[in-house]
Amino acid sequence: MRYAALIRFAALSLLLLAAVAASSAAPTTVPEKLQGVYFNPVSPSPPGTGHWIYDYHLIRPRVCQELSELVAKTGANFLDVMLLIPLTLREKATAPSDTATDVHQWANMQTLDNLVAFLDDCHRAGVRVEIDLACNLWIPYRLDTAHHIGQSEWWPKPDDTPWTEAAIWYEQIIRYVEGAVASPDSIAFWTMMGNYQWGGAEPMTWDWPEQPEVMAYTERFVKEVWPRFRRAAQRPVGSPIMLPILADVPYWHDKTPLQRLSSFSNLKRWLVEDLKLPPDYWVMSTYPCCDPATDGFRYLREIVRILGPENASRIISTDFKGAGHPAEPCIADKSALSDADVLRWHFDKITEYGFGGWWIWSYQDSAQEPTGLRDLEGRWKPDLVRAVRERTARRRVPSPEERSKQ
């Protein structure tokens, strides 16, 4: 009996060892990093606004073709798109009321259905999408009215408790879109985006001691809206996009590097230390040649320290300030690099710090800025495409069988 038991034990051990060996040999790919671009195809279709999401039902075949070309040309597996609040409103400049119970009460459903259709098309193309929901309701209209985008005819004028309407807008869009897409996996993550001055820009979460009431309302907005934003989403959520201030202008000359990075420390404090509700991803805009910058300070290294080295793989580096961006005074001097080398600088830093992904600005040139991988006529820029393709080609680890055929 004893020998029989030993034989059974030995046989079981061999089976367990074989299972372990098989499980360790099975994966042939590494987890894919999110690698892609801000997607901004030109939409000339009347009678639309010229914004491609608003017009998607009119231009869908053409945009799908462009999406297919982008994936084939660059190897991208990730897109960023921005949904601006004016495009989502049924009545111009009229935000949802804070008592709205259904998205159909206030939304332009054609725009939301266009976004759903695009996400379904991305799923078929093997691409996931970051959706930046950009509203301007971060502070009351009565504050800094002279600079508030609520003055325009398209953007709503927030009241004294703008977080109530903003939360409804974020929540109901997220729930509708997630419930309507064929595969929610097409959504990489959502971000709580928007800027009261510029609309579709990074939120003003950095310190602004000259406007203490603006900053107090911004903190209040984040703490009121973020829990509801996070709770509404079944898919992952990214932080409000953070901006390092690397401007080389008199106001910032006497500021310390930590003051330039206050967007990061503020959001870390508000979301993690105060609310205890960290995001799934930390999302930031990134300047080339900032690690170190001309002041000798390594800004990316400090960002990792602020957010925590354990979170490096959840940092998404975005909106690279590279090809075609205006040459603004900046302590991150990229003048010695070609446009393609600027991209390579970003990619090397992402590898060095182990960030979880990236997207570059942008897919296509605009009439204002030549920042795209394609120009306005649709011609690809070979040096930029080559720089991107060099990086995306590293995503997949070939299996032994594939390597033997190479």
Side-chain angles (χ1 to χ4, degrees):
M1 295 292 292
R2 182 181 301 172
Y3 293 115
L6 287 172
I7 290 170
R8 286 196 298 271
F9 177 79
L12 180 59
S13 298
L14 288 172
L15 288 172
L16 289 172
L17 286 171
V20 170
S23 65
S24 63
T28 60
T29 60
V30 296
E32 283 198 332
K33 288 185 179 294
L34 299 171
Q35 299 178 323
V37 301
Y38 172 74
F39 195 58
N40 61 333
V42 175
S43 172
S45 297
T49 64
H51 191 286
W52 71 272
I53 292 180
Y54 190 90
D55 297 339
Y56 194 62
H57 57 294
L58 304 174
I59 58 174
R60 185 175 183 180
R62 195 254 296 167
V63 175
C64 283
Q65 178 63 32
E66 292 191 48
L67 175 63
S68 176
E69 293 169 359
L70 172 64
V71 173
K73 195 77 173 179
T74 68
N77 67 351
F78 179 46
L79 299 179
D80 175 72
V81 301
M82 188 180 300
L83 187 65
L84 305 173
I85 188 172
L87 301 177
T88 69
L89 302 177
R90 188 174 63 199
E91 297 181 21
K92 185 170 67 172
T94 304
S97 74
D98 54 14
T99 59
T101 58
D102 188 281
V103 69
H104 294 83
Q105 294 173 334
W106 57 266
N108 178 342
M109 299 308 298
Q110 182 66 71
T111 297
L112 299 190
D113 289 339
N114 284 352
L115 177 59
V116 169
F118 176 69
L119 291 170
D120 289 341
D121 292 334
C122 285
H123 179 67
R124 284 186 283 272
V127 172
R128 289 188 288 163
V129 183
E130 169 190 335
I131 306 170
D132 301 329
L133 295 180
C135 83
N136 65 311
L137 306 177
W138 286 64
I139 67 169
Y141 182 65
R142 65 174 175 79
L143 296 182
D144 200 21
T145 302
H147 299 106
H148 208 298
I149 200 171
Q151 290 190 83
S152 82
E153 64 175 315
W154 294 102
W155 295 79
K157 291 179 173 59
D159 61 19
D160 271 1
T161 58
W163 48 83
T164 55
E165 291 83 5
I168 292 290
W169 183 76
Y170 287 123
E171 285 176 328
Q172 293 186 5
I173 287 179
I174 290 171
R175 288 176 177 147
Y176 178 80
V177 171
E178 287 192 351
V181 292
S183 176
D185 288 349
S186 60
I187 302 169
F189 58 92
W190 302 90
T191 73
M192 197 174 85
M193 183 66 158
N195 183 295
Y196 81 88
Q197 291 189 18
W198 304 106
E202 299 93 340
M204 293 181 64
T205 54
W206 53 88
D207 289 341
W208 193 8
E210 293 79 7
Q211 291 279 5
E213 200 172 6
V214 167
M215 294 314 302
Y217 269 95
T218 299
E219 180 177 355
R220 176 77 183 271
F221 179 93
V222 170
K223 290 182 175 179
E224 293 280 354
V225 177
W226 177 255
R228 295 175 62 174
F229 180 92
R230 191 174 182 269
R231 189 165 54 245
Q234 299 299 308
R235 296 296 298 150
V237 292
S239 68
I241 299 180
M242 300 168 289
L243 180 68
I245 309 294
L246 303 183
D248 190 12
V249 295
Y251 176 84
W252 288 99
H253 285 168
D254 62 347
K255 302 295 190 292
T256 68
L258 293 183
Q259 289 173 309
R260 290 177 177 273
L261 296 179
S262 56
S263 180
F264 296 80
S265 54
N266 285 342
L267 280 168
K268 174 71 178 299
R269 184 173 66 255
W270 298 341
L271 302 186
V272 178
E273 297 170 17
D274 296 344
L275 291 176
K276 308 280 191 297
L277 295 172
D280 297 295
Y281 293 103
W282 294 99
V283 190
M284 66 176 179
S285 295
T286 312
Y287 286 80
C289 306
C290 70
D291 193 66
T294 57
D295 61 359
F297 193 79
R298 296 191 64 178
Y299 284 88
L300 293 181
R301 182 172 66 182
E302 182 62 17
I303 286 168
V304 172
R305 187 199 66 79
I306 291 170
L307 299 179
E310 71 280 6
N311 292 317
S313 64
R314 299 195 291 122
I315 295 174
I316 307 297
S317 180
T318 76
D319 192 7
F320 299 170
K321 310 301 183 184
H325 283 82
E328 56 193 15
C330 184
I331 62 171
D333 181 11
K334 63 181 175 68
S335 60
L337 300 181
S338 69
D339 288 342
D341 285 337
V342 165
L343 292 181
R344 293 186 179 100
W345 185 95
H346 283 292
F347 297 149
D348 288 345
K349 287 295 178 180
I350 287 163
T351 299
E352 177 182 343
Y353 287 105
F355 294 158
W358 49 267
W359 53 260
I360 66 176
W361 189 292
S362 57
Y363 162 66
Q364 189 162 20
D365 287 354
S366 69
Q368 294 76 35
E369 291 183 342
T371 58
L373 298 176
R374 299 180 95 160
D375 65 19
L376 281 170
E377 285 70 45
R379 293 173 298 219
W380 293 97
K381 301 177 184 179
D383 55 337
L384 300 183
V385 171
R386 189 178 306 114
V388 173
R389 189 73 206 196
E390 290 168 0
R391 185 60 46 156
T392 58
R394 303 178 192 181
R395 286 204 325 255
R396 191 171 184 281
V397 177
S399 68
E401 292 78 12
E402 290 169 327
R403 286 197 295 269
S404 69
K405 296 176 183 178
Q406 294 176 350

